[in-house]
C-alpha cells in the first residue's frame, strides 16, 4: 500500500486518509475517491490529498476483517458486518466463553496490521454480549499477511460459547450447636443466587447434623430426587480429605478427586464425584456473594465441562481475586496501593473497647496505666491515642480502679467511658461493662488492653481489614512468628457468649470453640505480644524506663 500526499491526477480509486471539509460538501475519512469527489476537491482549490493507494496483492480493510471473522465463527457466535476494518463477534446465548489464548497471541504477532481482541478466557457472558473484535489497523493488509493468518487459524476453533445447562442442584447444610441461624440462611441464599444465575434450580435443602453418616444419607436422598450437582455447605470448614464432608461423599459411594485450590478466596474447596454426579464441599467464603474460587468451578460445571484436579491446579495465575489483610505486608510501611482490580467493599463498622479497670496488683502501689513516659504521657493515654489513630469507632474506655484519675488522664480525647462497678471481680466484669456500651450498629468489637502501648493504629486497621463474618472471618487475632497475641476482634454474633462470662477470664477460650470462624493476621513485630504489667517489664520500654 502506498500512503501519503497524492496528486489529484493520481487519486482516482485512492482511499482518503483524513476528512476534508469544503464549502457545501464533506468527504469523510475512508472515502474511495471517484471522479465526482476529485472534481469537488479541485473546485475547492485542492491540488492533492493524503490518501492510501492499494498495490497489487493488497486486501482492503473491510474484506480482510470479513475473511478473518469468518474463520473465527463458531456455534452460538454471531457477527457484525465489516465496517472501517472492524468486525465484532457476539454471544447468541448466555454461557461460558472460552478462547485459545496461545493462538490469539500468535495471530496478533503475525503483523501489526491485524489485531484480535477478546474477553478474558472463561468469562461468563450473557446473550448479545460482545466476545471479540477484529480490527485491521491500516486501510489494507498485504495479501501475504492475510494468507498466513488464514493458514494458522483454519480448522482450529479459536473461541466458543458453551451454554449453561439447567442443572438441578442439591445442597446439604450441616449444623453445629452455636451456629447462628442467619449464617445458615446466608449460605442458602448465596448458593441459590449462584445457581439461579447460571440457569439452574435448587432442590429442597437438606439440613443435617455435622456428622459423616447424616451427610451421606442426605446426599443419597438428593441423588434419588434428581440432583445433577451435589453441594455440601459445612458448619465447620473442611481441613482434610478425611473430614466430615469429604468422608460423607466417599460413604455415599463417591470419591474425592481434589482437595484445595490455588484461588483465594476459595482455598478450602473439595471436589468429588458420586457416579457421574459432581459433588463438592464448599469453602467458607461460598457463604458470601462475592467472587471466589467456587464460582469458577461452578461455572465450568454448568457449562458442561468436567473439572479435573489438573484444571483446579491450573487456576493459580489470576487466582488472587482480592487483597485481604490476612496476607500481611512484609513491612508496616509497605506501599498502600490497591493490589486488586476488584473494588473494595464498604468497611465494616467496628468499635473498640480499651480495658482500663484493673487494680494493677503486680505493680502495686503504682497504677501501671497512669505511669508517664519520658514525655509525661500516661500509658493509658498512649494506648487510647493509638486506638484513636485507627478507624475503629466508637472508642469506649472501661474504667474501674481509680476511675477519676484514668478519666482525667484521657481528658479532651474523643472517647466514651463505661464504668465497671464490679471491676474487682475480674476481667470478665470489665469486658461485660464495655460490651453493654457497644452501639447496635457496630458489627464487631476490638478488645484492647490498657497496658499494651506499642500496638499501633495501623496494626488495628490491619485486623479490621481481615474482618469479614460472611466469609468465615468472624474472630481476628494478631500473631507474631506464629504466637498468638492481642488485641482480638470479635463479631457481634459472639456478644451473648461474652456477656455470659464470669470470673477473672477473658473471651479467648471462645476462639478455640469456634476455630472455624477464626483468622490469624501475622504482624511484622512483637508489639501484639508485649504487655507491661510489672516494673521489670516497664524497664524494657525505653520511653518508660526510670519513670515511677
Amino acid at each position: 500500500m502506498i500512503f501519503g500526499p497524492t496528486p489529484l491526477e493520481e487519486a482516482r480509486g485512492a482511499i482518503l486518509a483524513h476528512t476534508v471539509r469544503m464549502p457545501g460538501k464533506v468527504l469523510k475519512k475512508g472515502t474511495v475517491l471517484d471522479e465526482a469527489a476529485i472534481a469537488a476537491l479541485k473546485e475547492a482549490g485542492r491540488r492533492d490529498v493524503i490518501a492510501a493507494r492499494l498495490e497489487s496483492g493488497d486486501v482492503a480493510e473491510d474484506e480482510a476483517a470479513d475473511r478473518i471473522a469468518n474463520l473465527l465463527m463458531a456455534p452460538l457466535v454471531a457477527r457484525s458486518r465489516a465496517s472501517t476494518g472492524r468486525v465484532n463477534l457476539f454471544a447468541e446465548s448466555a454461557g461460558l466463553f472460552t478462547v485459545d489464548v496461545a493462538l490469539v497471541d500468535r495471530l496478533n504477532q503475525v503483523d501489526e496490521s491485524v489485531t484480535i481482541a477478546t474477553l478474558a478466557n472463561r468469562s461468563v457472558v450473557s446473550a448479545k454480549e460482545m466476545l471479540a473484535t477484529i480490527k485491521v489497523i491500516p486501510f489494507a493488509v498485504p495479501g501475504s499477511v492475510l494468507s498466513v493468518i488464514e493458514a494458522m487459524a483454519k480448522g482450529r476453533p479459536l473461541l466458543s460459547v458453551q451454554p449453561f445447562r439447567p442443572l438441578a442442584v442439591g445442597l446439604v447444610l450441616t449444623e453445629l450447636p452455636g451456629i447462628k441461624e442467619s449464617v445458615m440462611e446466608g449460605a442458602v441464599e448465596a448458593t441459590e443466587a449462584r445457581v439461579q444465575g447460571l440457569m439452574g434450580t435448587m432442590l429442597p435443602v437438606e439440613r443435617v447434623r455435622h456428622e459423616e453418616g447424616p451427610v451421606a444419607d442426605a446426599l443419597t436422598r438428593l441423588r434419588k430426587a434428581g440432583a445433577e450437582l451435589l453441594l455440601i455447605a459445612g458448619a465447620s470448614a473442611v481441613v482434610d480429605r478425611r473430614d466430615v464432608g469429604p468422608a460423607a461423599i466417599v460413604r455415599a459411594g463417591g470419591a474425592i478427586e481434589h482437595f484445595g485450590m490455588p484461588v483465594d478466596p476459595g482455598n478450602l474447596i473439595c471436589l468429588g464425584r458420586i457416579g457421574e454426579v459432581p459433588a463438592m464441599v464448599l469453602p467458607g467464603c461460598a457463604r458470601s456473594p462475592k467472587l471466589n474460587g467456587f464460582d469458577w468451578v461452578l461455572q465450568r460445571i454448568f457449562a458442561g465441562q468436567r473439572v479435573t484436579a489438573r484444571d483446579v491446579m491450573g487456576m493459580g495465575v489470576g487466582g488472587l481475586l482480592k487483597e485481604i489483610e490476612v496476607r500481611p505486608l512484609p513491612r508496616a510501611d509497605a506501599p498502600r496501593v490497591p493490589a486488586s482490580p476488584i473494588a473494595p467493599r464498604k468497611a465494616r463498622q467496628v468499635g473498640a473497647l480499651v480495658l482500663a479497670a484493673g487494680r494493677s496488683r503486680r505493680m502495686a502501689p503504682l497504677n501501671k496505666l497512669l505511669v508517664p513516659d519520658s514525655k509525661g504521657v500516661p500509658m493509658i493515654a498512649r494506648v487510647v491515642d493509638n486506638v484513636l489513630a485507627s478507624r475503629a469507632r466508637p472508642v469506649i474506655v472501661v474504667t474501674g480502679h481509680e476511675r477519676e484519675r484514668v478519666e482525667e488522664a484521657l481528658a479532651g480525647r474523643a472517647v466514651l467511658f463505661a464504668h465497671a462497678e464490679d471491676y474487682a471481680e475480674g476481667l470478665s466484669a470489665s469486658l461485660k461493662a464495655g460490651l453493654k456500651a457497644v452501639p447496635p450498629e457496630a458489627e464487631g468489637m476490638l478488645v484492647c488492653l490498657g497496658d499494651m502501648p506499642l500496638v499501633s493504629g495501623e496494626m488495628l486497621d490491619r485486623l479490621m481489614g481481615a474482618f469479614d463474618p460472611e466469609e468465615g472471618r468472624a474472630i481476628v487475632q494478631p500473631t507474631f512468628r506464629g504466637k498468638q497475641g492481642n488485641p482480638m476482634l470479635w463479631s457481634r454474633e459472639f456478644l451473648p457468649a461474652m456477656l455470659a462470662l464470669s470470673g477473672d477470664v477473658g473471651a479467648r477460650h471462645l476462639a478455640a470453640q469456634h476455630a472455624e470462624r477464626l483468622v490469624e493476621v501475622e504482624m511484622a513485630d512483637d508489639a501484639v505480644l508485649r504487655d507491661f504489667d510489672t516494673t521489670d517489664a516497664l524497664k524494657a520500654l525505653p520511653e518508660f524506663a526510670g519513670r515511677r
Side-chain angles (χ1 to χ4, degrees), residues 71-382:
L71 287 171
L72 307 188
M73 292 301 292
L76 300 180
V77 176
R79 50 159 294 178
S80 67
R81 65 178 182 83
S83 177
T84 64
R86 183 185 300 277
V87 174
N88 297 325
L89 305 183
F90 302 89
E92 291 187 322
S93 168
L96 190 66
F97 169 72
T98 60
V99 60
D100 186 332
V101 177
L103 180 54
V104 171
D105 287 344
R106 289 198 298 272
L107 293 175
N108 279 323
Q109 292 167 10
V110 171
D111 190 85
E112 65 182 22
S113 62
V114 176
T115 64
I116 301 171
T118 76
L119 295 179
N121 191 27
R122 302 192 188 280
S123 294
V124 173
V125 298
S126 56
K128 300 183 179 180
E129 184 172 349
M130 186 185 294
L131 307 173
T133 185
I134 300 104
K135 173 60 177 166
V136 174
I137 302 299
F139 290 110
V141 175
S144 57
V145 168
L146 191 58
S147 295
V148 169
I149 290 173
E150 289 176 323
M152 292 173 62
K154 187 175 182 180
R156 297 192 56 182
L158 185 135
L159 50 81
S160 68
V161 174
Q162 295 170 285
F164 294 131
R165 302 172 299 158
L167 299 179
V169 178
L171 173 65
V172 180
L173 201 60
T174 73
E175 301 177 333
L176 283 172
I179 297 295
K180 290 181 65 178
E181 182 63 24
S182 60
V183 174
M184 307 294 283
E185 292 174 354
V188 174
E189 290 173 2
T191 304
E192 190 170 32
R194 285 186 166 93
V195 168
Q196 291 177 350
L198 297 173
M199 303 179 69
T201 56
M202 293 283 291
L203 297 175
V205 176
E206 291 270 355
R207 294 183 62 158
V208 300
R209 298 190 307 277
H210 189 72
E211 297 173 9
E212 179 184 326
V215 177
D217 292 343
L219 291 172
T220 299
R221 288 193 296 271
L222 287 169
R223 284 191 69 198
K224 290 180 179 178
E228 299 167 282
L229 171 62
L230 294 166
L231 306 176
I232 302 171
S236 179
V238 59
V239 295
D240 190 272
R241 280 173 168 259
R242 294 156 292 188
D243 212 336
V244 170
I249 292 174
V250 174
R251 184 165 177 167
I256 302 304
E257 298 182 334
H258 192 73
F259 173 50
M261 71 187 309
V263 180
D264 195 355
N267 292 136
L268 299 181
I269 196 171
C270 186
L271 274 70
R273 188 170 289 273
I274 304 177
E276 289 303 309
V277 178
M280 283 188 284
V281 185
L282 307 186
C285 59
R287 297 189 184 101
S288 167
K290 301 182 183 70
L291 179 68
N292 62 75
F294 170 50
D295 289 294
W296 286 5
V297 175
L298 197 65
Q299 291 159 7
R300 296 191 191 191
I301 290 174
F302 268 86
Q305 299 180 10
R306 178 161 183 162
V307 181
T308 66
R310 185 179 183 87
D311 292 330
V312 173
M313 290 186 281
M315 294 179 180
V317 176
L320 186 60
L321 297 182
K322 71 173 185 179
E323 184 64 19
I324 58 175
E325 286 292 345
V326 176
R327 309 181 192 98
L329 297 174
R331 291 289 183 270
D333 59 352
R336 288 186 170 274
V337 297
S340 168
I342 298 176
R345 58 163 168 78
K346 183 180 179 182
R348 297 182 179 277
Q349 182 170 348
V350 174
L353 306 182
V354 180
L355 303 185
R359 289 179 289 178
S360 193
R361 286 174 294 184
R362 299 182 66 186
M363 203 179 287
L366 294 175
N367 184 339
K368 62 183 176 182
L369 302 182
L370 299 174
V371 174
D373 64 13
S374 57
K375 297 180 180 179
V377 180
M379 181 185 294
I380 186 60
R382 283 191 47 165

Side-chain angles (χ1 to χ4, degrees), residues 434-516:
L435 292 173
K436 290 176 182 177
V438 174
E441 62 269 18
E443 299 179 67
M445 302 81 68
L446 268 167
V447 180
C448 306
L449 305 183
D451 60 357
M452 298 186 71
L454 300 184
V455 177
S456 67
E458 186 174 32
M459 293 177 180
L460 300 179
D461 282 340
R462 290 195 57 215
L463 295 177
M464 287 183 277
F467 179 60
D468 194 336
E470 289 181 359
E471 295 191 3
R473 302 193 297 275
I475 308 170
V476 186
Q477 183 168 35
T479 60
F480 176 70
R481 295 180 180 173
K483 189 173 182 179
Q484 296 176 329
N486 280 299
M488 293 180 69
L489 196 167
W490 298 84
S491 169
R492 192 176 191 88
E493 68 189 76
F494 298 103
L495 196 148
M498 296 168 82
L499 288 173
L501 297 173
S502 61
D504 193 26
V505 296
R508 186 172 293 226
H509 69 284
L510 292 175
Q513 295 175 9
H514 299 278
E516 77 283 354

Side-chain angles (χ1 to χ4, degrees), residues 3 7 18 42 121 401 419 457 459-460 465:
F3 181 88
H18 305 289
K42 287 180 177 179
N121 191 27
H401 177 61
H419 184 61
M459 293 177 180
L460 300 179

